[in-house]
């Protein structure tokens, strides 16, 4: 406030030398009030680069990283992308940011989901040849005027590329959207996630800004007008459930995985595991994508791999690209764990769906099945750092808050939760920012 009140008029003037037209620069020569100055200052800031002092350093960073980065290397590419994104945030004006958040994101989403439903991306992306809006309208059955408008927005937002008037060609994004495992993310969010997130402000206000703690009475129920918990809702909405399961199977693709060499010490799991023993149980393992990946990457690993999830999910997993060596088992993790003494009980993005009380029930079920000195619990989840948290992780945390009344957890929170279930963390294995850690636990 002091800064604003002490501003001179020249500081509230646009860089082109023109004063604001909102009356801050009084024509009758009177001194401006603090309120006028404040408003003029805010107008000025709203239309100037967000953090101009950061721009030169970020330009240099992008330029130097850009010269050496290998786009095939995940870390190189992610570092360059983060610098470029920081540059955009520093450079864009608050007005531009407002329009990006308020206009472009929801409308991009709507046009993407419409394109998915029309099968637009599969048609556009089947080869390199540019296609006209009229040709795409004919192939999808959409009204040509409507589709031309949608295509223009998709192009303006970088989803497809323009090759001429009303003519477009595919990009990596549109190619990926031609496969259901990827494009199901869009209807999935509409059918079971986003309404909860949009209901969050009203729900938090109603609850006096308490941290959500009841998965049956949170923004999800308000947004989707239901009394059901998220996973009960899934049972009632099989199409949304199938889209959710597909989304689960791809959202982490292309990032380092705990089973990659150099992340976790995978061979340490193989000790004392005979061919008939259970090496890994993937508890809440969805489509079995993690176990399939494990079998691919560690084809000589001893022992059995068992996928557990709710009956509908196991049924869907059996129709997908599950490695034939993987055993499937219907299992509700709030009931007794039927596999005793496995080498490792593995859970990926499971505990973040649940409040601490429910997590303790899930973990205690595993504790009761573990063989002392042999069994481990491996938790593949985010560990929120004290500073510099990654936007994918914080986005997920807010989704967890809205739709599950649950949370992504800090290291201290993990220690406290796991300790309270009769386990201890032996080591937290990390790869890089924004990638889920592997939290290795044993009986306490
Ligand atoms: C966020 S998904 C994570 C799936 C998978 N582990 C992954 O990382 O892709 C949570 C999984 O927990 C499963 N789940 C929810 N409630 C369950 C229960 N009571 N018993 C077993 N699985 C459950 C869901 O069906 C879903 O597959």
């Amino acid at each position: 406030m002091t800064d604003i009140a002490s501003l001179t008029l020249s500081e509230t003037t646009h860089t082109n030398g023109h004063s604001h037209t909102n009356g801050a620069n009084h024509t009758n020569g009177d001194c401006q009030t603090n309120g006028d100055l404040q408003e003029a200052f805010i107008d000025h800031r709203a239309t100037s680069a967000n953090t101009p002092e950061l721009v030169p350093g970020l330009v240099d960073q992008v330029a130097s990283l850009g010269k050496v980065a290998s786009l095939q290397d995940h870390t190189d590419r992610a570092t360059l992308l983060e610098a470029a994104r920081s540059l955009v945030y520093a450079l864009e004006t608050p007005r531009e940011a407002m329009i990006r958040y308020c206009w472009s994101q929801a409308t991009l989403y709507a046009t993407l989901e419409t394109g998915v439903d029309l099968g637009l991306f599969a048609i556009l992306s089947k080869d390199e040849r540019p296609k006209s809006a009229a040709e795409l309208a004919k192939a999808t059955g959409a009204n040509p005027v409507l589709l031309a408008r949608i295509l223009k927005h998709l192009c303006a937002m970088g989803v497809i590329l323009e090759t001429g008037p009303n003519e477009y060609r595919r990009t990596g994004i549109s190619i990926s959207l031609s496969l259901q495992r990827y494009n199901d993310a869009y209807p999935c969010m509409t059918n079971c996630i986003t309404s909860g997130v949009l209901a969050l402000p009203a729900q938090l206000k109603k609850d006096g800004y308490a941290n959500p703690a009841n998965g049956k009475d949170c923004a999800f129920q308000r947004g989707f007008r239901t009394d059901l918990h998220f996973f009960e809702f899934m049972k009632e909405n099989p199409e949304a459930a199938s889209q959710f399961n597909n989304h689960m199977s791809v959202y982490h693709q292309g990032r380092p995985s705990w089973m990659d060499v150099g992340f976790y010490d995978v061979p340490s799991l193989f000790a004392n595991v005979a061919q008939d023993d259970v090496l890994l149980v993937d508890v809440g393992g969805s489509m079995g994508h993690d176990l399939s990946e494990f079998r691919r990457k560690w084809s000589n690993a001893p022992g059995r791999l068992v996928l557990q999830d709710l009956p509908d999910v196991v049924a869907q997993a059996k129709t997908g690209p599950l490695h034939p060596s993987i055993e499937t088992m219907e299992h509700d993790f709030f009931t007794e764990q039927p596999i005793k003494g496995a080498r490792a009980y593995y859970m990926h993005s499971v505990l973040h769906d649940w409040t601490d009380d429910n997590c303790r029930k899930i973990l205690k079920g595993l504790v009761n099945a573990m063989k002392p000195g042999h069994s481990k619990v491996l938790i593949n989840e985010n560990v929120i750092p004290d500073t510099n948290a990654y936007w994918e992780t914080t986005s997920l945390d807010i989704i967890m808050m809205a739709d599950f009344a649950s949370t992504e957890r800090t290291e201290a929170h993990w220690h406290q939760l796991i300790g309270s279930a009769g386990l201890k963390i032996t080591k937290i294995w990390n790869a890089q920012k924004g990638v889920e850690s592997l939290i290795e636990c044993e009986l306490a």
Side-chain angles (χ1 to χ4, degrees), residues 179-383:
L179 190 65
Q180 189 173 10
R181 270 191 292 127
Y182 288 94
N183 70 36
D184 259 358
Y186 296 88
C188 161
M189 288 289 143
T190 299
N191 292 336
C192 64
I193 301 285
T194 306
S195 298
V197 177
L198 294 178
L200 186 62
Q203 184 72 17
L204 292 178
K205 192 183 187 80
K206 174 189 143 283
D207 292 342
Y209 296 101
N211 197 28
N214 182 352
K216 289 201 78 162
D217 182 16
C218 60
F220 178 80
Q221 287 76 24
R222 173 185 285 259
F224 285 97
R225 299 169 195 275
T226 177
D227 293 330
L228 302 175
H229 182 277
F230 179 89
F231 286 113
E232 294 167 340
F233 184 84
M234 289 284 119
K235 194 166 166 39
E236 302 289 303
N237 293 279
E239 193 180 4
S242 161
Q243 291 158 348
F244 177 78
N245 296 334
N246 276 336
H247 182 44
M248 288 303 97
S249 75
V250 295
Y251 80 90
H252 45 76
Q253 292 243 326
R255 299 181 310 168
S257 153
W258 65 272
M259 57 190 90
D260 292 342
V261 173
F263 193 149
Y264 175 69
D265 183 6
V266 173
S268 70
L269 293 176
F270 303 162
N272 300 323
V273 176
Q275 226 35 57
D276 285 347
D277 295 341
V278 175
L279 176 69
L280 274 178
V281 186
D282 189 352
V283 182
S286 186
M287 304 289 283
H289 35 272
D290 284 358
L291 288 183
S292 291
E293 182 186 342
F294 188 89
R295 200 39 113 204
R296 259 198 328 276
K297 290 182 173 168
W298 295 93
S299 52
N300 293 328
R304 295 153 52 201
L305 305 181
V306 181
L307 170 67
Q308 294 181 335
D309 209 302
L310 296 170
D312 293 346
V313 183
V314 169
Q316 188 182 346
K318 285 181 181 167
T319 68
L322 192 64
H323 193 282
S325 68
I326 294 167
E327 299 168 39
T328 56
M329 176 183 277
E330 298 174 1
H331 171 60
D332 177 343
F333 48 51
F334 290 111
T335 63
E336 183 184 339
Q337 172 58 247
I339 298 195
K340 314 288 181 197
R343 175 66 169 139
Y345 298 89
Y346 165 71
M347 283 185 290
H348 182 189
S349 299
V350 167
L351 297 179
H352 78 160
D353 292 337
W354 301 95
T355 57
D356 284 5
D357 282 351
N358 280 315
C359 286
R360 257 187 296 280
K361 286 183 196 150
I362 297 168
L363 288 167
K364 282 184 176 162
L366 302 182
V367 164
N368 292 336
M370 288 168 77
K371 181 173 165 195
H374 179 69
S375 301
K376 292 176 187 291
V377 172
L378 300 177
I379 299 169
N380 193 200
E381 290 239 8
N382 290 305
V383 178

Side-chain angles (χ1 to χ4, degrees), residues 128-190:
E128 280 291 348
R129 185 179 62 82
K131 296 169 186 67
S132 69
E135 178 186 349
L136 292 167
K138 193 162 176 222
T140 58
N143 175 287
V145 177
L146 170 83
L147 195 69
R149 294 170 65 190
I150 288 175
L151 288 165
K152 273 214 185 308
H153 190 46
L154 290 170
C155 175
M157 297 302 295
V159 176
I160 55 178
L161 283 179
E162 203 167 56
T163 47
N166 281 317
E167 188 186 78
Y168 302 94
R169 76 167 171 83
R170 69 185 185 178
T171 59
I173 301 176
S174 59
I175 291 171
S176 73
L177 287 174
S178 55
L179 190 65
Q180 189 173 10
R181 270 191 292 127
Y182 288 94
N183 70 36
D184 259 358
Y186 296 88
C188 161
M189 288 289 143
T190 299

